[in-house]
Amino acid sequence: MYKHLFFDLDHTLWDFDRNSTESIFDLYDRFQLADRGVGSVVEFNRHFISINNRLWSDFYNNRLTHSDIRKYRFRMVMDAVGVSDHSVCDEMNEAYLQLLPRKPHLMESAVEALEYLKNRYALHIITNGFDEIQALKMASSGLTDYFQHVVTIQKAEAKKPEPRIFEFALEASGASLRESLMIGDNYEADVCGAQNAGMDVVYYNAASLPLEGPAPTYEIHHLKELIAIL
């Protein structure tokens, strides 16, 4: 039935949380944040994860821009840990964007699943990231050669969950809806977005979160489960 598989990148194949945490720990030392009043790198990272996730959700819902995320996230994290000095926030964000995409860690069993799928389906990426950053992530983690097309918000001039980015991906890959399957971890962006575009979808729900709306075509909790489905 399916001939084309469209994967999300961050949190689905590329282990954003682990790679981001390593980057934050690097920044904590590089910018001597302990001397600036940030008492705990663990607390700093916890606030970063929460704030970054919230800002990305606002981005999906058109409440702010991608530039806003980059401008405000470290300021908000510093405020959250009780530090009003924002003098290094812009520099920290630039350093984060240099460190993060060069981290190599993938989600558990990502390579095993891709090795199984690569000769059975045409594999593609649909991501809300930008060309250069996502290309670096894929190269650093050894993902590049698995995928025929990488659709970003720059190429599509649209973002998940907007139907247009899925339509653009279908056009770019020469795929039809009925032979296409989206695979992603974000219910709002990946599941609702694919459903709104009329595409079947696998919800990679590693944390076993309760569904927030209509059921996906498939739900998995581990990437290995793709082998049984496909």
Side-chain angles (χ1 to χ4, degrees):
M1 179 182 179
Y2 301 118
K3 296 181 180 179
H4 295 265
L5 305 183
F6 295 86
F7 281 86
D8 172 56
L9 183 59
D10 294 342
H11 302 284
T12 298
L13 295 171
W14 194 78
D15 191 342
F16 183 92
D17 289 343
R18 182 178 177 186
N19 292 317
S20 178
T21 294
E22 284 191 4
S23 300
I24 293 296
F25 274 62
D26 291 345
L27 293 178
Y28 187 85
D29 292 334
R30 179 185 298 189
F31 288 91
Q32 300 178 317
L33 294 184
D35 295 339
R36 296 178 182 273
V38 181
S40 166
V41 64
V42 173
E43 181 186 8
F44 187 82
N45 185 56
R46 178 173 58 82
H47 283 295
F48 179 85
I49 292 171
S50 175
I51 288 167
N52 196 54
N53 287 343
R54 188 166 75 246
L55 291 176
W56 274 100
S57 180
D58 287 343
F59 172 73
Y60 297 147
N61 288 287
N62 298 312
R63 290 192 286 265
L64 47 72
T65 67
H66 194 264
S67 296
D68 291 332
I69 296 175
R70 295 184 174 189
K71 179 178 180 180
Y72 293 117
R73 60 184 166 191
F74 279 102
R75 287 172 169 81
M76 293 172 68
V77 174
M78 293 294 266
D79 287 342
V81 297
V83 177
S84 59
D85 179 8
H86 294 170
S87 60
V88 297
C89 288
D90 290 339
E91 191 178 351
M92 269 201 297
N93 190 71
E94 288 304 312
Y96 178 76
L97 293 176
Q98 290 297 314
L99 287 167
L100 179 67
R102 291 170 171 81
K103 299 293 184 180
H105 305 297
L106 297 174
M107 301 298 289
E108 185 178 354
S109 299
V111 171
E112 180 181 349
L114 292 173
E115 282 292 318
Y116 172 81
L117 297 170
K118 69 178 184 180
N119 293 322
R120 293 171 169 84
Y121 303 90
L123 306 182
H124 317 283
I125 293 285
I126 304 177
T127 171
N128 276 345
F130 282 76
D131 292 349
E132 182 180 1
I133 296 292
Q134 302 305 71
L136 276 171
K137 289 177 182 177
M138 293 178 69
S140 298
S141 57
L143 289 178
T144 304
D145 291 342
Y146 287 105
F147 296 95
Q148 295 183 14
H149 295 89
V150 178
V151 174
T152 65
I153 59 175
Q154 283 173 298
K155 290 175 181 172
E157 297 183 344
K159 63 180 181 294
K160 297 180 291 184
E162 297 167 7
R164 176 58 192 150
I165 193 169
F166 297 93
E167 294 163 359
F168 181 93
L170 293 173
E171 293 166 7
S173 61
S176 68
L177 271 175
R178 68 178 184 177
E179 63 187 17
S180 300
L181 181 69
M182 178 68 197
I183 301 159
D185 74 289
N186 188 290
Y187 183 85
E188 185 176 20
D190 299 315
V191 176
C192 294
Q195 288 176 330
N196 289 339
M199 188 185 294
D200 285 357
V201 59
V202 175
Y203 180 27
Y204 174 36
N205 186 8
S208 298
L209 300 173
L211 290 178
E212 303 169 18
T217 316
Y218 307 97
E219 181 176 346
I220 63 173
H221 306 285
H222 195 287
L223 289 176
K224 278 186 178 180
E225 295 174 61
L226 287 174
I227 296 173
I229 293 173
L230 299 167

